[in-house]
mmCIF file with all atom_site columns, all heavy atoms in Angstrom:
data_model
loop_
_atom_site.group_PDB
_atom_site.id
_atom_site.type_symbol
_atom_site.label_atom_id
_atom_site.label_alt_id
_atom_site.label_comp_id
_atom_site.label_asym_id
_atom_site.label_entity_id
_atom_site.label_seq_id
_atom_site.pdbx_PDB_ins_code
_atom_site.Cartn_x
_atom_site.Cartn_y
_atom_site.Cartn_z
_atom_site.occupancy
_atom_site.B_iso_or_equiv
_atom_site.pdbx_formal_charge
_atom_site.auth_seq_id
_atom_site.auth_comp_id
_atom_site.auth_asym_id
_atom_site.auth_atom_id
_atom_site.pdbx_PDB_model_num
ATOM   1   N N   . GLY A 1 18  ? 53.894 -33.481 24.730 1.00 98.00 ? 1456 GLY A N   1
ATOM   2   C CA  . GLY A 1 18  ? 53.963 -33.925 23.339 1.00 98.00 ? 1456 GLY A CA  1
ATOM   3   C C   . GLY A 1 18  ? 53.247 -32.999 22.390 1.00 98.00 ? 1456 GLY A C   1
ATOM   4   O O   . GLY A 1 18  ? 52.032 -32.801 22.495 1.00 98.00 ? 1456 GLY A O   1
ATOM   5   N N   . GLY A 1 20  ? 53.000 -33.275 19.008 1.00 98.00 ? 1458 GLY A N   1
ATOM   6   C CA  . GLY A 1 20  ? 52.709 -33.819 17.680 1.00 98.00 ? 1458 GLY A CA  1
ATOM   7   C C   . GLY A 1 20  ? 51.349 -33.296 17.253 1.00 98.00 ? 1458 GLY A C   1
ATOM   8   O O   . GLY A 1 20  ? 50.776 -32.388 17.908 1.00 98.00 ? 1458 GLY A O   1
ATOM   9   N N   . ILE A 1 21  ? 50.781 -33.903 16.210 1.00 98.00 ? 1459 ILE A N   1
ATOM   10  C CA  . ILE A 1 21  ? 49.489 -33.398 15.742 1.00 98.00 ? 1459 ILE A CA  1
ATOM   11  C C   . ILE A 1 21  ? 48.420 -33.554 16.844 1.00 98.00 ? 1459 ILE A C   1
ATOM   12  O O   . ILE A 1 21  ? 47.544 -32.685 17.002 1.00 98.00 ? 1459 ILE A O   1
ATOM   13  C CB  . ILE A 1 21  ? 49.055 -34.110 14.422 1.00 98.00 ? 1459 ILE A CB  1
ATOM   14  C CG1 . ILE A 1 21  ? 47.829 -33.441 13.840 1.00 98.00 ? 1459 ILE A CG1 1
ATOM   15  C CG2 . ILE A 1 21  ? 48.821 -35.600 14.620 1.00 98.00 ? 1459 ILE A CG2 1
ATOM   16  C CD1 . ILE A 1 21  ? 47.993 -32.039 13.421 1.00 98.00 ? 1459 ILE A CD1 1
ATOM   17  N N   . ILE A 1 22  ? 48.526 -34.629 17.639 1.00 98.00 ? 1460 ILE A N   1
ATOM   18  C CA  . ILE A 1 22  ? 47.457 -34.851 18.627 1.00 98.00 ? 1460 ILE A CA  1
ATOM   19  C C   . ILE A 1 22  ? 47.597 -33.899 19.810 1.00 98.00 ? 1460 ILE A C   1
ATOM   20  O O   . ILE A 1 22  ? 46.635 -33.231 20.195 1.00 98.00 ? 1460 ILE A O   1
ATOM   21  C CB  . ILE A 1 22  ? 47.420 -36.340 19.042 1.00 98.00 ? 1460 ILE A CB  1
ATOM   22  C CG1 . ILE A 1 22  ? 46.955 -37.160 17.803 1.00 98.00 ? 1460 ILE A CG1 1
ATOM   23  C CG2 . ILE A 1 22  ? 46.481 -36.569 20.228 1.00 98.00 ? 1460 ILE A CG2 1
ATOM   24  C CD1 . ILE A 1 22  ? 46.899 -38.648 17.973 1.00 98.00 ? 1460 ILE A CD1 1
ATOM   25  N N   . GLU A 1 41  ? 56.911 -29.663 24.229 1.00 98.00 ? 1479 GLU A N   1
ATOM   26  C CA  . GLU A 1 41  ? 57.395 -30.537 23.171 1.00 98.00 ? 1479 GLU A CA  1
ATOM   27  C C   . GLU A 1 41  ? 58.917 -30.638 23.263 1.00 98.00 ? 1479 GLU A C   1
ATOM   28  O O   . GLU A 1 41  ? 59.606 -29.625 23.268 1.00 98.00 ? 1479 GLU A O   1
ATOM   29  C CB  . GLU A 1 41  ? 56.951 -29.951 21.803 1.00 98.00 ? 1479 GLU A CB  1
ATOM   30  C CG  . GLU A 1 41  ? 57.657 -30.530 20.598 1.00 98.00 ? 1479 GLU A CG  1
ATOM   31  C CD  . GLU A 1 41  ? 57.631 -32.057 20.507 1.00 98.00 ? 1479 GLU A CD  1
ATOM   32  O OE1 . GLU A 1 41  ? 56.550 -32.654 20.605 1.00 98.00 ? 1479 GLU A OE1 1
ATOM   33  O OE2 . GLU A 1 41  ? 58.724 -32.652 20.334 1.00 98.00 ? 1479 GLU A OE2 1
ATOM   34  N N   . ARG A 1 42  ? 59.436 -31.871 23.335 1.00 98.00 ? 1480 ARG A N   1
ATOM   35  C CA  . ARG A 1 42  ? 60.871 -32.047 23.563 1.00 98.00 ? 1480 ARG A CA  1
ATOM   36  C C   . ARG A 1 42  ? 61.719 -31.632 22.367 1.00 98.00 ? 1480 ARG A C   1
ATOM   37  O O   . ARG A 1 42  ? 62.877 -31.286 22.530 1.00 98.00 ? 1480 ARG A O   1
ATOM   38  C CB  . ARG A 1 42  ? 61.210 -33.503 23.920 1.00 98.00 ? 1480 ARG A CB  1
ATOM   39  C CG  . ARG A 1 42  ? 60.958 -34.464 22.795 1.00 98.00 ? 1480 ARG A CG  1
ATOM   40  C CD  . ARG A 1 42  ? 61.122 -35.912 23.224 1.00 98.00 ? 1480 ARG A CD  1
ATOM   41  N NE  . ARG A 1 42  ? 62.463 -36.393 22.929 1.00 98.00 ? 1480 ARG A NE  1
ATOM   42  C CZ  . ARG A 1 42  ? 62.906 -36.715 21.701 1.00 98.00 ? 1480 ARG A CZ  1
ATOM   43  N NH1 . ARG A 1 42  ? 62.106 -36.595 20.653 1.00 98.00 ? 1480 ARG A NH1 1
ATOM   44  N NH2 . ARG A 1 42  ? 64.116 -37.172 21.551 1.00 98.00 ? 1480 ARG A NH2 1
ATOM   45  N N   . THR A 1 49  ? 56.268 -38.628 14.877 1.00 98.00 ? 1487 THR A N   1
ATOM   46  C CA  . THR A 1 49  ? 55.583 -39.508 13.933 1.00 98.00 ? 1487 THR A CA  1
ATOM   47  C C   . THR A 1 49  ? 54.785 -38.716 12.909 1.00 98.00 ? 1487 THR A C   1
ATOM   48  O O   . THR A 1 49  ? 54.627 -39.122 11.758 1.00 98.00 ? 1487 THR A O   1
ATOM   49  C CB  . THR A 1 49  ? 54.627 -40.450 14.702 1.00 98.00 ? 1487 THR A CB  1
ATOM   50  O OG1 . THR A 1 49  ? 55.395 -41.136 15.672 1.00 98.00 ? 1487 THR A OG1 1
ATOM   51  C CG2 . THR A 1 49  ? 53.980 -41.449 13.790 1.00 98.00 ? 1487 THR A CG2 1
ATOM   52  N N   . THR A 1 50  ? 54.297 -37.574 13.346 1.00 98.00 ? 1488 THR A N   1
ATOM   53  C CA  . THR A 1 50  ? 53.500 -36.728 12.444 1.00 98.00 ? 1488 THR A CA  1
ATOM   54  C C   . THR A 1 50  ? 54.269 -36.449 11.158 1.00 98.00 ? 1488 THR A C   1
ATOM   55  O O   . THR A 1 50  ? 53.686 -36.423 10.067 1.00 98.00 ? 1488 THR A O   1
ATOM   56  C CB  . THR A 1 50  ? 53.116 -35.439 13.209 1.00 98.00 ? 1488 THR A CB  1
ATOM   57  O OG1 . THR A 1 50  ? 52.351 -35.831 14.344 1.00 98.00 ? 1488 THR A OG1 1
ATOM   58  C CG2 . THR A 1 50  ? 52.336 -34.454 12.359 1.00 98.00 ? 1488 THR A CG2 1
ATOM   59  N N   . GLY A 1 52  ? 56.570 -38.395 9.987  1.00 98.00 ? 1490 GLY A N   1
ATOM   60  C CA  . GLY A 1 52  ? 56.974 -39.660 9.358  1.00 98.00 ? 1490 GLY A CA  1
ATOM   61  C C   . GLY A 1 52  ? 55.826 -40.363 8.652  1.00 98.00 ? 1490 GLY A C   1
ATOM   62  O O   . GLY A 1 52  ? 55.936 -41.524 8.282  1.00 98.00 ? 1490 GLY A O   1
ATOM   63  N N   . SER A 1 53  ? 54.703 -39.659 8.462  1.00 98.00 ? 1491 SER A N   1
ATOM   64  C CA  . SER A 1 53  ? 53.500 -40.331 7.963  1.00 98.00 ? 1491 SER A CA  1
ATOM   65  C C   . SER A 1 53  ? 53.441 -40.326 6.444  1.00 98.00 ? 1491 SER A C   1
ATOM   66  O O   . SER A 1 53  ? 54.208 -39.628 5.781  1.00 98.00 ? 1491 SER A O   1
ATOM   67  C CB  . SER A 1 53  ? 52.253 -39.622 8.511  1.00 98.00 ? 1491 SER A CB  1
ATOM   68  O OG  . SER A 1 53  ? 52.192 -38.331 7.960  1.00 98.00 ? 1491 SER A OG  1
ATOM   69  N N   . THR A 1 54  ? 52.468 -41.061 5.893  1.00 98.00 ? 1492 THR A N   1
ATOM   70  C CA  . THR A 1 54  ? 52.268 -41.081 4.445  1.00 98.00 ? 1492 THR A CA  1
ATOM   71  C C   . THR A 1 54  ? 51.572 -39.800 3.961  1.00 98.00 ? 1492 THR A C   1
ATOM   72  O O   . THR A 1 54  ? 51.565 -39.512 2.788  1.00 98.00 ? 1492 THR A O   1
ATOM   73  C CB  . THR A 1 54  ? 51.417 -42.339 4.075  1.00 98.00 ? 1492 THR A CB  1
ATOM   74  O OG1 . THR A 1 54  ? 52.024 -43.481 4.666  1.00 98.00 ? 1492 THR A OG1 1
ATOM   75  C CG2 . THR A 1 54  ? 51.345 -42.562 2.583  1.00 98.00 ? 1492 THR A CG2 1
ATOM   76  N N   . ARG A 1 55  ? 51.016 -39.036 4.875  1.00 98.00 ? 1493 ARG A N   1
ATOM   77  C CA  . ARG A 1 55  ? 50.448 -37.720 4.597  1.00 98.00 ? 1493 ARG A CA  1
ATOM   78  C C   . ARG A 1 55  ? 49.069 -37.838 3.914  1.00 98.00 ? 1493 ARG A C   1
ATOM   79  O O   . ARG A 1 55  ? 48.678 -36.968 3.145  1.00 98.00 ? 1493 ARG A O   1
ATOM   80  C CB  . ARG A 1 55  ? 51.415 -36.850 3.752  1.00 98.00 ? 1493 ARG A CB  1
ATOM   81  C CG  . ARG A 1 55  ? 52.701 -36.609 4.510  1.00 98.00 ? 1493 ARG A CG  1
ATOM   82  C CD  . ARG A 1 55  ? 53.863 -36.149 3.662  1.00 98.00 ? 1493 ARG A CD  1
ATOM   83  N NE  . ARG A 1 55  ? 55.055 -36.130 4.515  1.00 98.00 ? 1493 ARG A NE  1
ATOM   84  C CZ  . ARG A 1 55  ? 55.494 -35.069 5.162  1.00 98.00 ? 1493 ARG A CZ  1
ATOM   85  N NH1 . ARG A 1 55  ? 54.893 -33.919 5.038  1.00 98.00 ? 1493 ARG A NH1 1
ATOM   86  N NH2 . ARG A 1 55  ? 56.548 -35.149 5.941  1.00 98.00 ? 1493 ARG A NH2 1
ATOM   87  N N   . LEU A 1 56  ? 48.374 -38.919 4.221  1.00 98.00 ? 1494 LEU A N   1
ATOM   88  C CA  . LEU A 1 56  ? 47.021 -39.071 3.687  1.00 98.00 ? 1494 LEU A CA  1
ATOM   89  C C   . LEU A 1 56  ? 46.002 -38.720 4.752  1.00 98.00 ? 1494 LEU A C   1
ATOM   90  O O   . LEU A 1 56  ? 46.210 -39.004 5.952  1.00 98.00 ? 1494 LEU A O   1
ATOM   91  C CB  . LEU A 1 56  ? 46.781 -40.516 3.222  1.00 98.00 ? 1494 LEU A CB  1
ATOM   92  C CG  . LEU A 1 56  ? 47.640 -40.957 2.036  1.00 98.00 ? 1494 LEU A CG  1
ATOM   93  C CD1 . LEU A 1 56  ? 47.363 -42.413 1.694  1.00 98.00 ? 1494 LEU A CD1 1
ATOM   94  C CD2 . LEU A 1 56  ? 47.402 -40.062 0.806  1.00 98.00 ? 1494 LEU A CD2 1
ATOM   95  N N   . VAL A 1 188 ? 59.746 -32.925 29.072 1.00 98.00 ? 1626 VAL A N   1
ATOM   96  C CA  . VAL A 1 188 ? 59.243 -33.293 30.407 1.00 98.00 ? 1626 VAL A CA  1
ATOM   97  C C   . VAL A 1 188 ? 60.127 -34.426 30.932 1.00 98.00 ? 1626 VAL A C   1
ATOM   98  O O   . VAL A 1 188 ? 60.208 -35.483 30.297 1.00 98.00 ? 1626 VAL A O   1
ATOM   99  C CB  . VAL A 1 188 ? 57.759 -33.719 30.315 1.00 98.00 ? 1626 VAL A CB  1
ATOM   100 C CG1 . VAL A 1 188 ? 57.297 -34.322 31.644 1.00 98.00 ? 1626 VAL A CG1 1
ATOM   101 C CG2 . VAL A 1 188 ? 56.916 -32.510 29.945 1.00 98.00 ? 1626 VAL A CG2 1
ATOM   102 N N   . ALA A 1 223 ? 52.328 -38.332 23.914 1.00 98.00 ? 1661 ALA A N   1
ATOM   103 C CA  . ALA A 1 223 ? 53.708 -38.462 23.400 1.00 98.00 ? 1661 ALA A CA  1
ATOM   104 C C   . ALA A 1 223 ? 53.840 -39.487 22.296 1.00 98.00 ? 1661 ALA A C   1
ATOM   105 O O   . ALA A 1 223 ? 54.966 -39.922 21.974 1.00 98.00 ? 1661 ALA A O   1
ATOM   106 C CB  . ALA A 1 223 ? 54.662 -38.796 24.560 1.00 98.00 ? 1661 ALA A CB  1
ATOM   107 N N   . PRO A 1 225 ? 54.625 -42.351 19.971 1.00 98.00 ? 1663 PRO A N   1
ATOM   108 C CA  . PRO A 1 225 ? 55.390 -43.596 20.212 1.00 98.00 ? 1663 PRO A CA  1
ATOM   109 C C   . PRO A 1 225 ? 56.298 -43.506 21.424 1.00 98.00 ? 1663 PRO A C   1
ATOM   110 O O   . PRO A 1 225 ? 56.865 -44.520 21.846 1.00 98.00 ? 1663 PRO A O   1
ATOM   111 C CB  . PRO A 1 225 ? 56.204 -43.752 18.931 1.00 98.00 ? 1663 PRO A CB  1
ATOM   112 C CG  . PRO A 1 225 ? 56.322 -42.382 18.366 1.00 98.00 ? 1663 PRO A CG  1
ATOM   113 C CD  . PRO A 1 225 ? 55.065 -41.645 18.748 1.00 98.00 ? 1663 PRO A CD  1
ATOM   114 N N   . TRP A 1 226 ? 56.455 -42.328 22.019 1.00 98.00 ? 1664 TRP A N   1
ATOM   115 C CA  . TRP A 1 226 ? 57.239 -42.182 23.269 1.00 98.00 ? 1664 TRP A CA  1
ATOM   116 C C   . TRP A 1 226 ? 56.321 -42.380 24.473 1.00 98.00 ? 1664 TRP A C   1
ATOM   117 O O   . TRP A 1 226 ? 56.714 -42.137 25.606 1.00 98.00 ? 1664 TRP A O   1
ATOM   118 C CB  . TRP A 1 226 ? 57.862 -40.785 23.353 1.00 98.00 ? 1664 TRP A CB  1
ATOM   119 C CG  . TRP A 1 226 ? 59.003 -40.527 22.425 1.00 98.00 ? 1664 TRP A CG  1
ATOM   120 C CD1 . TRP A 1 226 ? 60.327 -40.701 22.705 1.00 98.00 ? 1664 TRP A CD1 1
ATOM   121 C CD2 . TRP A 1 226 ? 58.946 -40.021 21.092 1.00 98.00 ? 1664 TRP A CD2 1
ATOM   122 N NE1 . TRP A 1 226 ? 61.090 -40.322 21.597 1.00 98.00 ? 1664 TRP A NE1 1
ATOM   123 C CE2 . TRP A 1 226 ? 60.265 -39.909 20.619 1.00 98.00 ? 1664 TRP A CE2 1
ATOM   124 C CE3 . TRP A 1 226 ? 57.902 -39.644 20.241 1.00 98.00 ? 1664 TRP A CE3 1
ATOM   125 C CZ2 . TRP A 1 226 ? 60.588 -39.423 19.332 1.00 98.00 ? 1664 TRP A CZ2 1
ATOM   126 C CZ3 . TRP A 1 226 ? 58.200 -39.180 18.974 1.00 98.00 ? 1664 TRP A CZ3 1
ATOM   127 C CH2 . TRP A 1 226 ? 59.543 -39.086 18.517 1.00 98.00 ? 1664 TRP A CH2 1
ATOM   128 N N   . THR A 1 285 ? 54.065 -47.568 2.439  1.00 96.00 ? 1723 THR A N   1
ATOM   129 C CA  . THR A 1 285 ? 55.054 -47.605 3.471  1.00 96.00 ? 1723 THR A CA  1
ATOM   130 C C   . THR A 1 285 ? 55.325 -49.049 3.873  1.00 96.00 ? 1723 THR A C   1
ATOM   131 O O   . THR A 1 285 ? 54.678 -49.974 3.373  1.00 96.00 ? 1723 THR A O   1
ATOM   132 C CB  . THR A 1 285 ? 54.604 -46.776 4.700  1.00 96.00 ? 1723 THR A CB  1
ATOM   133 O OG1 . THR A 1 285 ? 55.551 -46.838 5.731  1.00 96.00 ? 1723 THR A OG1 1
ATOM   134 C CG2 . THR A 1 285 ? 53.268 -47.227 5.213  1.00 96.00 ? 1723 THR A CG2 1
ATOM   135 N N   . GLY A 1 329 ? 59.008 -43.186 10.155 1.00 98.00 ? 1767 GLY A N   1
ATOM   136 C CA  . GLY A 1 329 ? 58.204 -42.793 11.312 1.00 98.00 ? 1767 GLY A CA  1
ATOM   137 C C   . GLY A 1 329 ? 57.874 -44.026 12.124 1.00 98.00 ? 1767 GLY A C   1
ATOM   138 O O   . GLY A 1 329 ? 57.931 -45.145 11.604 1.00 98.00 ? 1767 GLY A O   1
ATOM   139 N N   . ARG A 1 331 ? 54.899 -45.797 14.297 1.00 96.00 ? 1769 ARG A N   1
ATOM   140 C CA  . ARG A 1 331 ? 53.484 -45.788 14.707 1.00 96.00 ? 1769 ARG A CA  1
ATOM   141 C C   . ARG A 1 331 ? 53.367 -46.205 16.162 1.00 96.00 ? 1769 ARG A C   1
ATOM   142 O O   . ARG A 1 331 ? 54.141 -47.026 16.648 1.00 96.00 ? 1769 ARG A O   1
ATOM   143 C CB  . ARG A 1 331 ? 52.669 -46.822 13.911 1.00 96.00 ? 1769 ARG A CB  1
ATOM   144 C CG  . ARG A 1 331 ? 52.633 -46.598 12.448 1.00 96.00 ? 1769 ARG A CG  1
ATOM   145 C CD  . ARG A 1 331 ? 51.909 -47.765 11.760 1.00 96.00 ? 1769 ARG A CD  1
ATOM   146 N NE  . ARG A 1 331 ? 52.082 -47.637 10.324 1.00 96.00 ? 1769 ARG A NE  1
ATOM   147 C CZ  . ARG A 1 331 ? 53.130 -48.126 9.666  1.00 96.00 ? 1769 ARG A CZ  1
ATOM   148 N NH1 . ARG A 1 331 ? 54.088 -48.756 10.303 1.00 96.00 ? 1769 ARG A NH1 1
ATOM   149 N NH2 . ARG A 1 331 ? 53.227 -47.945 8.369  1.00 96.00 ? 1769 ARG A NH2 1
ATOM   150 N N   . GLY A 1 363 ? 46.215 -43.623 17.391 1.00 95.00 ? 1801 GLY A N   1
ATOM   151 C CA  . GLY A 1 363 ? 45.544 -42.559 16.646 1.00 95.00 ? 1801 GLY A CA  1
ATOM   152 C C   . GLY A 1 363 ? 46.174 -42.348 15.286 1.00 95.00 ? 1801 GLY A C   1
ATOM   153 O O   . GLY A 1 363 ? 47.248 -42.903 14.986 1.00 95.00 ? 1801 GLY A O   1
ATOM   154 N N   . LYS A 1 364 ? 45.458 -41.582 14.443 1.00 95.00 ? 1802 LYS A N   1
ATOM   155 C CA  . LYS A 1 364 ? 45.962 -41.226 13.103 1.00 95.00 ? 1802 LYS A CA  1
ATOM   156 C C   . LYS A 1 364 ? 45.904 -39.707 12.971 1.00 95.00 ? 1802 LYS A C   1
ATOM   157 O O   . LYS A 1 364 ? 45.186 -39.051 13.708 1.00 95.00 ? 1802 LYS A O   1
ATOM   158 C CB  . LYS A 1 364 ? 45.071 -41.854 12.023 1.00 95.00 ? 1802 LYS A CB  1
ATOM   159 C CG  . LYS A 1 364 ? 45.343 -43.321 11.762 1.00 95.00 ? 1802 LYS A CG  1
ATOM   160 C CD  . LYS A 1 364 ? 44.241 -43.903 10.848 1.00 95.00 ? 1802 LYS A CD  1
ATOM   161 C CE  . LYS A 1 364 ? 44.239 -43.275 9.463  1.00 95.00 ? 1802 LYS A CE  1
ATOM   162 N NZ  . LYS A 1 364 ? 43.071 -43.698 8.664  1.00 95.00 ? 1802 LYS A NZ  1
ATOM   163 N N   . ILE A 1 365 ? 46.635 -39.188 11.987 1.00 98.00 ? 1803 ILE A N   1
ATOM   164 C CA  . ILE A 1 365 ? 46.542 -37.733 11.719 1.00 98.00 ? 1803 ILE A CA  1
ATOM   165 C C   . ILE A 1 365 ? 45.108 -37.397 11.298 1.00 98.00 ? 1803 ILE A C   1
ATOM   166 O O   . ILE A 1 365 ? 44.529 -36.424 11.752 1.00 98.00 ? 1803 ILE A O   1
ATOM   167 C CB  . ILE A 1 365 ? 47.522 -37.357 10.588 1.00 98.00 ? 1803 ILE A CB  1
ATOM   168 C CG1 . ILE A 1 365 ? 48.948 -37.513 11.085 1.00 98.00 ? 1803 ILE A CG1 1
ATOM   169 C CG2 . ILE A 1 365 ? 47.269 -35.911 10.138 1.00 98.00 ? 1803 ILE A CG2 1
ATOM   170 C CD1 . ILE A 1 365 ? 50.003 -37.328 10.014 1.00 98.00 ? 1803 ILE A CD1 1
ATOM   171 N N   . THR A 1 366 ? 44.552 -38.262 10.446 1.00 97.00 ? 1804 THR A N   1
ATOM   172 C CA  . THR A 1 366 ? 43.208 -38.018 9.919  1.00 97.00 ? 1804 THR A CA  1
ATOM   173 C C   . THR A 1 366 ? 42.205 -37.720 11.044 1.00 97.00 ? 1804 THR A C   1
ATOM   174 O O   . THR A 1 366 ? 41.389 -36.813 10.916 1.00 97.00 ? 1804 THR A O   1
ATOM   175 C CB  . THR A 1 366 ? 42.739 -39.259 9.116  1.00 97.00 ? 1804 THR A CB  1
ATOM   176 O OG1 . THR A 1 366 ? 43.750 -39.580 8.156  1.00 97.00 ? 1804 THR A OG1 1
ATOM   177 C CG2 . THR A 1 366 ? 41.417 -39.001 8.427  1.00 97.00 ? 1804 THR A CG2 1
HETATM 178 C C1  . FAD B 2 .   ? 54.846 -44.735 8.384  1.00 54.73 ? 2992 FAD B C1  1
HETATM 179 C C2  . FAD B 2 .   ? 53.601 -44.080 8.876  1.00 54.73 ? 2992 FAD B C2  1
HETATM 180 C C3  . FAD B 2 .   ? 52.632 -43.699 8.003  1.00 54.73 ? 2992 FAD B C3  1
HETATM 181 C C4  . FAD B 2 .   ? 51.462 -43.061 8.477  1.00 54.73 ? 2992 FAD B C4  1
HETATM 182 N N1  . FAD B 2 .   ? 50.564 -42.608 7.586  1.00 54.73 ? 2992 FAD B N1  1
HETATM 183 C C5  . FAD B 2 .   ? 49.464 -41.971 8.014  1.00 54.73 ? 2992 FAD B C5  1
HETATM 184 C C6  . FAD B 2 .   ? 48.562 -41.404 7.074  1.00 54.73 ? 2992 FAD B C6  1
HETATM 185 O O1  . FAD B 2 .   ? 48.776 -41.441 5.871  1.00 54.73 ? 2992 FAD B O1  1
HETATM 186 N N2  . FAD B 2 .   ? 47.443 -40.804 7.559  1.00 54.73 ? 2992 FAD B N2  1
HETATM 187 C C7  . FAD B 2 .   ? 47.197 -40.741 8.888  1.00 54.73 ? 2992 FAD B C7  1
HETATM 188 O O2  . FAD B 2 .   ? 46.136 -40.214 9.254  1.00 54.73 ? 2992 FAD B O2  1
HETATM 189 N N3  . FAD B 2 .   ? 48.045 -41.220 9.811  1.00 54.73 ? 2992 FAD B N3  1
HETATM 190 C C8  . FAD B 2 .   ? 49.178 -41.838 9.400  1.00 54.73 ? 2992 FAD B C8  1
HETATM 191 N N4  . FAD B 2 .   ? 50.076 -42.322 10.299 1.00 54.73 ? 2992 FAD B N4  1
HETATM 192 C C9  . FAD B 2 .   ? 49.790 -42.192 11.716 1.00 54.73 ? 2992 FAD B C9  1
HETATM 193 C C10 . FAD B 2 .   ? 50.127 -40.793 12.204 1.00 54.73 ? 2992 FAD B C10 1
HETATM 194 O O3  . FAD B 2 .   ? 51.345 -40.335 11.661 1.00 54.73 ? 2992 FAD B O3  1
HETATM 195 C C11 . FAD B 2 .   ? 50.215 -40.759 13.725 1.00 54.73 ? 2992 FAD B C11 1
HETATM 196 O O4  . FAD B 2 .   ? 49.103 -41.371 14.296 1.00 54.73 ? 2992 FAD B O4  1
HETATM 197 C C12 . FAD B 2 .   ? 50.258 -39.344 14.268 1.00 54.73 ? 2992 FAD B C12 1
HETATM 198 O O5  . FAD B 2 .   ? 51.223 -38.572 13.623 1.00 54.73 ? 2992 FAD B O5  1
HETATM 199 C C13 . FAD B 2 .   ? 50.542 -39.431 15.749 1.00 54.73 ? 2992 FAD B C13 1
HETATM 200 O O6  . FAD B 2 .   ? 50.641 -38.124 16.267 1.00 54.73 ? 2992 FAD B O6  1
HETATM 201 P P1  . FAD B 2 .   ? 51.060 -37.940 17.768 1.00 54.73 ? 2992 FAD B P1  1
HETATM 202 O O7  . FAD B 2 .   ? 50.880 -36.513 18.077 1.00 54.73 ? 2992 FAD B O7  1
HETATM 203 O O8  . FAD B 2 .   ? 50.353 -38.940 18.611 1.00 54.73 ? 2992 FAD B O8  1
HETATM 204 O O9  . FAD B 2 .   ? 52.572 -38.422 17.804 1.00 54.73 ? 2992 FAD B O9  1
HETATM 205 P P2  . FAD B 2 .   ? 53.915 -37.625 17.415 1.00 54.73 ? 2992 FAD B P2  1
HETATM 206 O O10 . FAD B 2 .   ? 53.763 -36.850 16.180 1.00 54.73 ? 2992 FAD B O10 1
HETATM 207 O O11 . FAD B 2 .   ? 55.039 -38.598 17.504 1.00 54.73 ? 2992 FAD B O11 1
HETATM 208 O O12 . FAD B 2 .   ? 54.027 -36.591 18.619 1.00 54.73 ? 2992 FAD B O12 1
HETATM 209 C C14 . FAD B 2 .   ? 54.456 -36.979 19.915 1.00 54.73 ? 2992 FAD B C14 1
HETATM 210 C C15 . FAD B 2 .   ? 55.404 -35.908 20.391 1.00 54.73 ? 2992 FAD B C15 1
HETATM 211 O O13 . FAD B 2 .   ? 55.737 -36.117 21.747 1.00 54.73 ? 2992 FAD B O13 1
HETATM 212 C C16 . FAD B 2 .   ? 57.035 -35.561 21.931 1.00 54.73 ? 2992 FAD B C16 1
HETATM 213 N N5  . FAD B 2 .   ? 57.607 -36.056 23.176 1.00 54.73 ? 2992 FAD B N5  1
HETATM 214 C C17 . FAD B 2 .   ? 58.044 -37.311 23.441 1.00 54.73 ? 2992 FAD B C17 1
HETATM 215 N N6  . FAD B 2 .   ? 58.534 -37.376 24.699 1.00 54.73 ? 2992 FAD B N6  1
HETATM 216 C C18 . FAD B 2 .   ? 58.401 -36.137 25.247 1.00 54.73 ? 2992 FAD B C18 1
HETATM 217 C C19 . FAD B 2 .   ? 58.767 -35.572 26.508 1.00 54.73 ? 2992 FAD B C19 1
HETATM 218 N N7  . FAD B 2 .   ? 59.355 -36.308 27.464 1.00 54.73 ? 2992 FAD B N7  1
HETATM 219 N N8  . FAD B 2 .   ? 58.508 -34.263 26.717 1.00 54.73 ? 2992 FAD B N8  1
HETATM 220 C C20 . FAD B 2 .   ? 57.918 -33.504 25.749 1.00 54.73 ? 2992 FAD B C20 1
HETATM 221 N N9  . FAD B 2 .   ? 57.575 -33.986 24.525 1.00 54.73 ? 2992 FAD B N9  1
HETATM 222 C C21 . FAD B 2 .   ? 57.813 -35.306 24.284 1.00 54.73 ? 2992 FAD B C21 1
HETATM 223 C C22 . FAD B 2 .   ? 57.799 -36.017 20.693 1.00 54.73 ? 2992 FAD B C22 1
HETATM 224 O O14 . FAD B 2 .   ? 58.953 -35.255 20.434 1.00 54.73 ? 2992 FAD B O14 1
HETATM 225 C C23 . FAD B 2 .   ? 56.720 -35.897 19.605 1.00 54.73 ? 2992 FAD B C23 1
HETATM 226 O O15 . FAD B 2 .   ? 56.832 -34.692 18.848 1.00 54.73 ? 2992 FAD B O15 1
HETATM 227 C C24 . FAD B 2 .   ? 51.280 -42.896 9.863  1.00 54.73 ? 2992 FAD B C24 1
HETATM 228 C C25 . FAD B 2 .   ? 52.275 -43.292 10.756 1.00 54.73 ? 2992 FAD B C25 1
HETATM 229 C C26 . FAD B 2 .   ? 53.432 -43.854 10.273 1.00 54.73 ? 2992 FAD B C26 1
HETATM 230 C C27 . FAD B 2 .   ? 54.528 -44.208 11.214 1.00 54.73 ? 2992 FAD B C27 1
#
Side-chain angles (χ1 to χ4, degrees):
I1459 188 63
I1460 292 178
E1479 165 53 51
R1480 67 188 265 285
T1487 304
T1488 299
S1491 67
T1492 309
R1493 299 162 187 266
L1494 294 178
V1626 170
W1664 288 267
T1723 178
R1769 299 175 189 85
K1802 281 170 64 189
I1803 293 172
T1804 307

